[in-house]
Amino acid sequence: HPVARASLESQLEVDAAQFHQLAVASVRATVETLNAVMDQVELDRHNVLAGLKKEELTSWWLNLIESTVEDYLRDVGYDPEAVPYDYCVEAPKDMDAVLRNLKILRGLFVHLTPEAMSAKERRPVHDLIDGLKQQIIPKIESFTENSQVVLNFHLDLDEQDRASAAYFLEKLQERTSKFDAVLYEMLEDLAKDLEYLEEMLSLEDRPYASEAGSLTLGVVPVTGIIVGRFYRYENELLTTLQIWAEDLYEEISAPPKPAPEDDREAVVPPGLGLDRRGTVAGVEDIGGVGEPTAGNEVATVGTTTSAPAGKEVAAEGAASAATTDGDGAAAGEGAAGAAG
């Protein structure tokens, strides 16, 4: 019927117009999304090159380690408020709490030695370290992959799977004339950051100490940064004692005096509970988490680096002695945070 046909054609024209409008809107939305993605990629690439992503990453892992370790220590009876924030100026209100904290830490240190860390028997503190590593290492690996993409882009290289930092540094040297001084320095810094992080990750798979038992300052693996956090607390406690209770500090830090054969009583700082070997004696089961118990394992006193008066030893890794080999070391939290 002519009328019905005209009506149908009119409806088809309307539908076609609506379809065209929807198609145009859809294409525009897709283009806008792609542009936004490309803008984000460009921003991320700039942030990686400028070092902002590295700073974001290192700040994240240091904050994560600090909060996680502090929560763990609270659970085992440690009092983080025992030492004032500005302990070089303000004396602690309860010196006994400082001593209790030191006793708790040294009870834990026995489980942070190379032998204990590599032993089959696992302790809660080992689970804490493993849990942190499972969060941190994938983030580092992601950053290294992004850094490789950025270096490939600027150096006009065919994408290499897991190309090493040494490869990028070599190619950068070959292309020195291609870049101005500022861009060259940024690319070199990024390649060196990549080199540092590669070493961090490789150290996780190496023995904790060198064959000779010696340690050197250098790159600190993730495990070393975590363990170093525990030793930073000890340095704060020792500095506090050195400033506000010097006599007690000297007794704690001094080597144990040999006792006569007929009278083997220990000469110890009052209240700390050290035996004649200079080790923590009578450490109770801390917080029910299965750490040292009385008559069981003991932590040697005087084996850690003490802090100079008026200064906090910021090196997290005075403890890395327990965690690194001859190539990687007990550097500080700041050294690790710098990531090169």
Side-chain angles (χ1 to χ4, degrees):
H1 192 277
V3 175
R5 180 170 181 170
S7 176
L8 180 59
E9 290 176 350
S10 176
Q11 184 61 45
L12 289 174
E13 289 176 359
V14 171
D15 291 345
Q18 291 177 342
F19 177 80
H20 175 75
Q21 291 174 352
L22 289 172
V24 169
S26 178
V27 170
R28 285 177 178 171
T30 301
V31 170
E32 289 174 0
T33 300
L34 291 174
N35 286 336
V37 170
M38 293 303 297
D39 288 344
Q40 186 62 50
V41 169
E42 184 63 30
L43 179 61
D44 288 344
R45 187 171 64 194
H46 169 76
N47 289 342
V48 169
L49 184 60
L52 300 178
K53 284 291 185 181
K54 179 197 72 175
E55 293 175 6
E56 179 184 313
L57 174 64
T58 54
S59 295
W60 169 78
W61 84 47
L62 291 175
N63 289 332
L64 176 66
I65 290 170
E66 179 179 359
S67 62
T68 305
V69 169
E70 182 171 310
D71 288 345
Y72 173 83
L73 287 174
R74 285 182 188 274
D75 289 343
V76 298
Y78 189 95
D79 179 10
E81 282 72 45
V83 174
Y85 177 78
D86 193 357
Y87 52 84
C88 291
V89 176
E90 181 183 353
K93 295 179 180 179
D94 184 356
M95 194 62 72
D96 287 340
V98 175
L99 293 175
R100 284 194 298 271
N101 282 352
L102 187 60
K103 186 175 181 179
I104 289 170
L105 283 176
R106 291 182 169 178
L108 288 170
F109 288 164
V110 70
H111 303 304
L112 299 177
T113 63
E115 296 78 13
M117 294 285 286
S118 57
K120 291 183 179 180
E121 183 182 6
R122 306 301 293 169
R123 294 282 183 160
V125 71
H126 301 153
D127 295 335
L128 172 135
I129 292 171
D130 290 342
L132 283 169
K133 287 166 60 177
Q134 288 169 10
Q135 295 179 71
I136 294 169
I137 289 177
K139 295 281 189 181
I140 294 176
E141 291 172 339
S142 176
F143 176 81
T144 61
E145 291 171 2
N146 292 337
S147 298
Q148 291 166 344
V149 171
V150 171
L151 289 166
N152 276 321
F153 174 81
H154 284 282
L155 295 173
D156 292 328
L157 300 171
D158 293 332
E159 290 200 10
Q160 302 279 331
D161 290 335
R162 291 289 181 181
S164 67
Y167 169 82
F168 288 118
L169 287 169
E170 178 186 349
K171 295 302 179 183
L172 180 60
Q173 295 248 343
E174 294 173 0
R175 292 162 169 76
T176 302
S177 59
K178 178 182 175 182
F179 308 106
D180 61 44
V182 174
L183 181 55
Y184 182 89
E185 184 177 0
M186 293 172 77
L187 290 168
E188 184 179 43
D189 287 346
L190 179 58
K192 289 181 178 179
D193 288 341
L194 181 60
E195 184 176 45
Y196 188 100
L197 293 172
E198 286 176 352
E199 182 68 8
M200 276 186 70
L201 295 176
S202 70
L203 285 172
E204 289 296 334
D205 299 323
R206 299 187 193 178
Y208 292 109
S210 64
E211 292 182 3
S214 61
L215 295 165
T216 57
L217 294 176
V219 179
V220 184
V222 176
T223 300
I225 300 172
I226 299 168
V227 172
R229 187 67 205 178
F230 287 91
Y231 279 82
R232 176 168 179 169
Y233 282 111
E234 186 202 34
N235 285 326
E236 291 177 349
L237 295 171
L238 291 175
T239 302
T240 300
L241 290 170
Q242 188 174 18
I243 296 171
W244 303 107
E246 187 172 358
D247 292 344
L248 183 56
Y249 168 80
E250 290 178 356
E251 291 181 27
I252 292 172
S253 302
K257 298 178 181 179
E261 288 295 328
D262 57 343
D263 182 9
R264 308 277 311 170
E265 288 188 10
V267 180
V268 300
L272 190 58
L274 309 182
D275 66 17
R276 63 176 176 266
R277 296 170 298 173
T279 57
V280 177
V283 178
E284 300 177 10
D285 187 9
I286 304 171
V289 295
E291 301 301 355
T293 56
N296 195 350
E297 295 137 311
V298 291
T300 302
V301 171
T303 59
T304 55
T305 304
S306 59
K311 292 185 180 179
E312 169 189 343
V313 177
E316 290 280 358
S320 300
T323 56
T324 54
D325 64 8
D327 295 323
E333 178 182 272

